């Protein structure tokens, strides 16, 4: 696979370059493919470029797109750049498709792409050039899930030199110029090999936020407040026409489909909601992020070595336009320089990037995606030159401050989590009896009051129980054994088998007395459950102690009841059980 580049400046000089290129080729040899990257969106200018190509090489297909900057051999190229690719092995295949999103639905387009890959088992890579969509790309990405897992998918969203503009275009020889289409290129063959990577280098900054309200790609609320308010509060970004540009370097950072995603807001709305390029699921945990030069350089160092080991013939580069603006104090292509000596490369600065990871296609923002391709066996690995330690040490002050803020925020989050746990324990201790683990008297009484307030719509009953002759247990065997008897009874009351369909709340009323609240239960059913408690306890063994019994009183709540009248009545029922011989249930 070979690549030749041409810079288009004006028609005549470009035509002469192509004629010379044709003369130098083997007789009758046609290039495999032309790719055109253009910061110029004027259809007339683009037709002028493609006209020259068709005149010199009438049988060679071409594809092209608008860009926010062209990349050739890891350098910023001319406003219009033409790349010629020659596939050298007869086994290499490629096919080009163009789908108009104004005429076909997303589901129709993705179904056709999936079907084409099914019909063509030779396909190993799918490259996409996507005009800026009106809404979310999530449906499109999900629609390609059925493509074989061994097929790599990558590409970019085309744009213009004005990154705040929605203008973009794509064009091919067979389908023509379009401002609403997707170009799909299939690559493959038995001797064709491909690998792809993504690089972010953006780090989460500050606290976590939960997506609490969203509708598709419309992000409405984070932690219950308008999503825009987060950008305004923490970054002082105004809700105006410059919102997109000002948030470009501060995308949301979150995990999705088992990979890290960066997502920049497209625009903000008057109600405080934010338009995103892909769906934001409710419950997602997100953070504002920032670009960290040292992290980017280290990521590039590792990934460039991996790509060098692959031994590619060419690299196709899709780098977010936000990354170009990030390196304003250096060359726009500063971060990709380590790839320069690996192989020839071409690509563009994009509005969004696509990459398939673990079988899932995701659209990224502020991300660098690189596809490495080769024909045949791996060539000798290039020696990759990376930025030295001096470069890594010159981290801007703002990055150090961001790191400080991020670490401090994480520490505060950890402290808050610990405080929440302590608070939960304190709240639990306030309502739980220390010995039995059941509710204490104050809490079970509160729940009785709560149930009385709803007694018109949901009846309930109380069961009051008392361990028979408990003083003898303490006097004969000691308080430790007495506590063991109390805990054993509490374990029975905690067992939900005593009321399989009822809501049961059990509490220690005092000493050896207990109260059980049975919601949605009448007196007859409550008496049955109470007798089940009695029987289970009577059959519970205690090492070194004779079997124990319990007496129980039952009553059903009435509309006119107060807590005092209800508790008095169930206490009277318990008294009758005691007077009637103990180890029995009485209903009042």
């Amino acid at each position: 696979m070979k690549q030749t580049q041409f810079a288009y400046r004006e028609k005549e000089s470009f035509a002469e370059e192509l004629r010379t290129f044709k003369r130098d080729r083997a007789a009758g040899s046609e290039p495999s493919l032309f790719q055109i990257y253009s910061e110029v969106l004027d259809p007339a200018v683009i037709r002028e470029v493609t006209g020259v190509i068709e005149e010199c090489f009438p049988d060679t297909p071409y594809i092209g797109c608008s860009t926010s900057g062209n990349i050739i051999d890891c350098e910023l190229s001319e406003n219009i750049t033409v790349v010629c690719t020659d596939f050298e092995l007869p086994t290499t295949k490629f096919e080009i498709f163009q789908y108009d999103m104004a005429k076909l639905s997303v589901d129709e387009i993705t179904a056709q792409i999936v079907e084409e890959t099914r019909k063509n088992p030779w396909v190993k890579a799918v490259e996409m050039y996507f005009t800026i969509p009106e809404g979310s790309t999530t449906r499109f990405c999900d629609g390609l899930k059925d493509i074989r897992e061994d097929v790599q998918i990558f590409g970019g969203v085309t744009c213009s030199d004005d990154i705040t503009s929605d203008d973009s275009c794509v064009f091919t020889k067979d389908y023509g110029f379009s401002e609403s289409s997707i170009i799909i290129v299939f690559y493959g063959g038995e001797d064709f090999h491909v690998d792809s990577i993504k690089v972010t280098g953006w780090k989460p900054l500050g606290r976590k936020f939960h997506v609490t309200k969203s509708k598709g790609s419309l992000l409405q609320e984070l932690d219950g407040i308008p999503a825009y308010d987060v950008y305004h509060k923490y970054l002082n970004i105004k809700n105006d026409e410059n919102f997109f540009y000002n948030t470009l370097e501060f995308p949301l950072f979150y995990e999705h489909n088992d990979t890290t995603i960066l997502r920049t807001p497209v625009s903000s709305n008057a109600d405080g909601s934010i338009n995103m390029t892909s769906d934001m699921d409710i419950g997602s945990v997100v953070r504002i992020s920032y670009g960290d030069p040292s992290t980017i350089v280290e990521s590039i160092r590792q990934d460039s070595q991996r790509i060098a080991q692959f031994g590619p013939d060419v690299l196709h580069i899709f780098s977010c336009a936000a990354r170009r603006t990030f390196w304003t104090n250096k060359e726009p292509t500063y971060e990709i320089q380590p790839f320069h000596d690996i192989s020839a490369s071409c690509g563009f600065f994009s509005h969004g990037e696509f990459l398939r990871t673990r079988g899932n296609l995701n659209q990224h923002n502020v991300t660098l995606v690189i596809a490495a391709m080769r024909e045949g066996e791996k060539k000798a690995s290039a020696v990759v030159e990376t930025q030295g330690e001096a470069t890594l040490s010159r981290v801007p002050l703002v990055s150090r401050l961001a790191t400080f803020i991020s670490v401090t925020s994480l520490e505060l989050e950890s402290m808050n989590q610990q405080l929440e746990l302590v608070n939960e324990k304190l709240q639990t201790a306030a309502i739980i009896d220390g010995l039995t683990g059941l509710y204490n008297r104050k809490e079970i009484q509160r729940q009785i009051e709560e149930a009385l307030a709803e007694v018109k719509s949901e009846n309930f009953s109380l069961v009051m129980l008392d361990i028979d002759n408990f003083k003898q247990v303490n006097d004969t065997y000691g308080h430790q054994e007495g506590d063991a008897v109390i805990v054993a009874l509490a374990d029975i009351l905690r067992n939900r088998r005593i009321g399989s369909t009822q809501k049961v709340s059990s509490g220690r009323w005092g000493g050896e007395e207990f109260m059980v609240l049975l919601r949605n239960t009448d007196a007859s059913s409550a008496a049955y459950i109470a007798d089940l408690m009695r029987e289970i306890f009577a059959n519970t063994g205690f090492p070194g102690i004779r079997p124990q019994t319990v007496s129980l009183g039952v009553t059903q709540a009435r509309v006119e009841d107060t807590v005092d009248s209800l508790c008095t009545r169930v206490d009277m029922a318990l008294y009758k059980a005691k007077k009637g011989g103990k180890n029995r249930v009485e209903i009042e």
Side-chain angles (χ1 to χ4, degrees):
M1 190 183 305
K2 291 183 179 179
Q3 184 174 287
T4 309
Q5 303 95 23
F6 304 91
Y8 182 91
R9 297 181 180 85
E10 50 86 25
K11 182 177 178 179
E12 292 306 320
S13 61
F14 178 57
E16 181 57 34
E17 280 189 87
L18 281 193
R19 285 192 288 267
T20 301
F21 177 61
K22 186 171 184 177
R23 285 195 299 269
D24 292 342
R25 299 176 64 86
S29 171
E30 287 269 335
S32 303
L33 175 67
F34 282 103
Q35 290 170 269
I36 304 158
Y37 302 108
S38 177
E39 292 183 70
V40 180
L41 277 71
D42 186 347
V45 175
I46 290 172
R47 279 195 293 269
E48 189 174 82
V49 177
T50 59
V52 173
I53 294 173
E54 290 186 42
E55 181 181 340
C56 291
F57 297 100
D59 297 326
T60 302
Y62 59 77
I63 62 174
C65 67
S66 60
T67 76
S68 186
N70 307 325
I71 300 170
I72 296 297
D73 287 339
C74 296
E75 300 284 351
L76 195 63
S77 185
E78 298 291 332
N79 289 347
I80 301 177
T81 302
V82 179
V83 178
C84 172
T85 300
D86 280 289
F87 296 114
E88 299 177 283
L89 297 182
T91 55
T92 301
K93 301 179 182 180
F94 72 96
E95 284 194 38
I96 300 168
F97 299 88
Q98 184 171 322
Y99 302 97
D100 193 339
M101 293 182 287
K103 298 177 180 178
L104 297 172
S105 70
V106 169
D107 292 341
E108 290 174 319
I109 293 172
T110 55
Q112 290 185 37
I113 296 172
V114 171
E115 178 60 18
E116 289 295 337
T117 60
R118 187 192 65 79
K119 291 190 305 184
N120 297 288
W122 55 266
V123 174
K124 292 183 177 179
V126 178
E127 186 172 51
M128 309 188 307
Y129 297 84
F130 213 117
T131 54
I132 295 177
E134 291 185 4
S136 170
T137 60
T138 299
R139 193 178 185 91
F140 179 86
C141 291
D142 290 345
L144 299 185
K145 281 185 176 180
D146 291 335
I147 290 180
R148 298 191 317 271
E149 288 194 9
D150 62 304
V151 176
Q152 302 216 22
I153 308 176
F154 46 83
V157 179
T158 67
C159 52
S160 67
D161 58 350
D162 178 3
I163 60 175
T164 65
S165 170
D166 289 336
D167 295 334
S168 65
C169 70
V170 295
F171 46 93
T172 60
K173 180 177 181 179
D174 291 338
Y175 301 94
F177 179 94
S178 175
E179 296 178 335
S180 59
S181 291
I182 306 167
I183 294 176
I184 300 293
V185 185
F186 293 155
Y187 299 99
E190 60 182 284
D191 298 310
F192 181 86
H193 305 277
V194 61
D195 193 10
S196 55
I197 61 167
K198 71 176 177 69
V199 179
T200 57
W202 259 242
K203 296 172 66 175
L205 173 66
R207 54 165 291 195
K208 296 177 181 177
F209 299 92
H210 291 81
V211 177
T212 50
K213 188 177 181 182
S214 67
K215 186 177 181 180
S217 59
L218 182 66
L219 178 58
Q220 296 165 300
E221 292 182 359
L222 295 171
D223 283 357
I225 63 173
Y228 158 74
D229 288 358
V230 171
Y231 276 98
H232 180 66
K233 177 179 180 180
Y234 293 95
L235 296 171
N236 195 28
I237 293 174
K238 295 180 180 178
N239 194 352
D240 56 22
E241 67 277 4
N242 295 316
F243 179 79
F244 168 72
Y245 187 81
N246 290 327
T247 59
L248 203 56
E249 292 184 23
F250 298 98
L252 294 180
F253 179 106
Y254 73 113
E255 296 293 323
H256 181 66
N257 286 337
D258 297 323
T259 190
T260 300
I261 301 286
L262 295 179
R263 183 74 68 235
T264 54
V266 176
S267 59
S268 57
N269 304 305
D271 62 359
S273 61
I274 293 175
N275 298 307
M276 311 296 287
T277 54
S278 288
D279 293 357
M280 302 291 291
D281 296 333
I282 292 175
S284 297
V285 178
V286 304
R287 298 171 101 167
I288 292 174
S289 65
Y290 73 101
D292 179 57
S294 61
T295 302
I296 296 171
V297 168
E298 178 59 22
S299 298
I300 292 290
R301 184 187 68 79
Q302 295 177 9
D303 289 319
S304 60
Q305 291 176 349
R306 169 185 159 182
I307 293 298
Q309 289 296 318
F310 175 78
D313 293 328
V314 299
L315 301 176
H316 285 191
I317 299 173
F318 308 89
S319 181
C320 186
R323 300 179 79 91
R324 178 180 179 178
T325 62
F326 178 77
W327 295 108
T328 51
N329 62 330
K330 297 182 180 293
E331 291 298 318
T333 55
Y334 167 76
E335 64 178 346
I336 58 175
Q337 287 302 313
F339 295 95
H340 180 273
D341 295 327
I342 295 176
S343 70
S345 63
C346 63
F348 64 97
F349 287 102
S350 55
H351 194 270
E353 303 73 51
F354 292 94
L355 186 66
R356 194 182 202 189
T357 308
R358 298 182 182 89
N360 295 300
L361 178 61
N362 298 291
Q363 191 229 308
H364 299 264
N365 297 126
V366 201
T367 300
L368 170 65
V369 169
I370 298 180
M373 295 179 277
R374 76 164 191 265
E375 294 178 286
E377 296 301 315
K378 181 173 68 173
K379 284 73 174 173
S381 300
V383 177
V384 179
E385 296 291 335
T386 58
Q387 290 88 338
E389 291 298 320
T391 301
L392 293 177
S393 66
R394 293 197 296 271
V395 179
L397 175 62
V398 66
S399 295
R400 297 197 186 278
L401 290 175
T403 301
F404 171 79
I405 293 168
S406 187
V407 171
T408 303
S409 178
L410 288 173
E411 290 175 346
L412 287 173
E413 278 189 13
S414 178
M415 291 173 61
N416 285 333
Q417 289 173 356
Q418 293 177 27
L419 287 173
E420 286 176 5
L421 289 174
V422 171
N423 188 44
E424 287 177 8
K425 290 180 179 178
L426 290 173
Q427 289 178 346
T428 300
I431 63 173
I432 297 299
D433 175 66
L435 176 62
T436 65
L438 300 179
Y439 292 123
N440 58 26
R441 178 166 181 160
K442 181 179 179 181
E443 175 59 20
I444 197 67
Q445 186 168 320
R446 185 197 67 78
Q447 292 194 25
I448 293 170
E449 291 176 353
E450 191 178 77
L452 272 175
E454 303 293 332
V455 72
K456 286 183 179 180
S457 58
E458 182 182 73
N459 65 343
F460 71 94
S461 296
L462 289 185
V463 177
M464 190 174 187
L465 53 160
D466 181 89
I467 301 174
D468 297 328
N469 306 312
F470 183 72
K471 185 175 182 301
Q472 293 180 13
V473 174
N474 280 335
D475 291 347
T476 305
Y477 304 104
H479 287 281
Q480 186 172 350
E481 295 299 332
D483 286 349
V485 173
I486 288 175
V487 170
L489 178 56
D491 288 342
I492 294 169
L493 301 184
R494 191 181 293 108
N495 189 334
R496 294 308 171 97
R497 288 180 300 171
I498 63 175
S500 58
T501 60
Q502 290 79 6
K503 302 177 193 174
V504 181
S505 295
S506 302
R508 189 179 182 190
W509 199 248
E512 68 273 23
E513 283 188 331
F514 294 83
M515 190 77 79
V516 179
L517 168 63
L518 299 170
R519 294 177 176 83
N520 197 26
T521 307
D522 59 20
S524 176
S525 298
Y528 173 81
I529 294 169
D531 196 56
L532 184 60
M533 298 174 188
R534 181 199 63 75
E535 184 178 352
I536 294 172
F537 185 67
N539 290 313
T540 300
F542 298 98
I545 305 177
R546 60 178 174 78
Q548 300 297 307
T549 62
V550 66
S551 298
L552 307 95
V554 176
T555 192
Q556 182 175 335
R558 303 166 185 165
V559 173
E560 67 273 13
D561 268 329
T562 63
V563 174
D564 287 342
S565 67
L566 182 60
C567 290
T568 297
R569 197 163 63 251
V570 75
D571 186 61
M572 289 174 61
L574 174 60
Y575 178 76
K576 284 184 180 181
K578 291 283 190 181
K579 295 294 287 184
K582 302 178 182 178
N583 190 25
R584 58 188 291 137
V585 177
E586 288 287 346
I587 301 176
E588 180 67 28

